[in-house]
Amino acid sequence: MVKLVPMTEAEFETYLDDDIRRYAEANVKAGHWLPSEALEKSRQVHDHLLPDGLATKDEFFFSIVSEAGEKIGILWVEVKTDASPRRAFVYDFWIQEELRGQGYGRLALAALDDTLRSMDVESVSLHVFGDNLTAQALYKKTGFEITGIHMRKKYK
């Protein structure tokens, strides 16, 4: 069993710096951005999505905490609370690398399901990079369906 615990401001500041870097790296690896521009583009995306930081309306940041009280990952989800029907989007979700493959991801997504149902959310979606086959398998096992696929052919 795991719990989703709202992030503190201090946790959020550390998380945000790491996420900006990770998102830049993922977009470079996927071929979306050039390395020279990736960090700035990632900052711009985050600034746009989070104009008020942790207090941004409709954005929810959780630490994923094990039964033993250990912080084992994070989850960032947007819920458009004024929309009808309410829909959610997972912007970021990860389990510490050394703990992956032990069922924590599945448990965290089940905890998210409970949280979103309690918020009267109709559906949740997310984006996963094409090379992240482990995450894709987890999402399929937990009920996510593919809604689109971007493809690319490289010449160099």
Side-chain angles (χ1 to χ4, degrees):
M1 185 161 146
V2 301
K3 291 190 281 188
L4 301 182
V5 178
M7 274 189 194
T8 65
E9 188 67 41
E11 289 172 322
F12 175 76
E13 292 304 321
T14 300
Y15 161 74
L16 186 60
D17 289 340
D18 290 343
D19 192 53
I20 288 169
R21 179 189 45 78
R22 278 192 318 274
Y23 189 62
E25 290 169 357
N27 275 285
V28 168
K29 186 176 180 182
H32 300 157
W33 296 342
L34 297 173
S36 61
E37 66 187 17
L39 203 53
E40 181 56 30
K41 282 190 172 198
S42 183
R43 277 192 193 97
Q44 290 172 359
V45 168
H46 283 78
D47 287 347
H48 174 75
L49 292 172
L50 302 168
D52 297 319
L54 183 61
T56 301
K57 184 180 185 316
D58 296 337
E59 304 300 326
F60 300 87
F61 293 86
F62 299 100
S63 293
I64 303 166
V65 179
S66 71
E67 280 185 284
E70 176 187 15
K71 182 180 170 187
I72 60 170
I74 65 90
L75 205 150
W76 166 17
V77 62
E78 176 184 71
V79 178
K80 292 294 188 183
T81 56
D82 295 336
S84 181
R86 283 188 180 175
R87 292 193 176 114
F89 185 84
V90 175
Y91 276 105
D92 197 16
F93 167 55
W94 57 265
I95 300 294
Q96 290 179 20
E97 198 165 333
E98 66 275 10
L99 299 174
R100 292 178 187 165
Q102 299 178 35
Y104 289 118
R106 184 182 46 76
L107 292 171
L109 290 173
L112 177 63
D113 287 343
D114 292 342
T115 298
L116 294 177
R117 283 186 186 107
S118 75
M119 297 173 75
D120 199 30
V121 171
E122 177 186 88
S123 65
V124 60
S125 58
L126 53 78
H127 170 268
V128 60
F129 284 99
D131 66 338
N132 195 343
L133 301 177
T134 302
Q136 290 176 40
L138 171 64
Y139 298 141
K140 287 177 186 175
K141 283 184 205 172
T142 59
F144 284 85
E145 301 169 334
I146 294 173
T147 59
I149 297 175
H150 289 96
M151 298 179 81
R152 150 180 89 172
K153 183 187 230 181
K154 290 174 78 173
Y155 294 110
K156 292 184 183 186

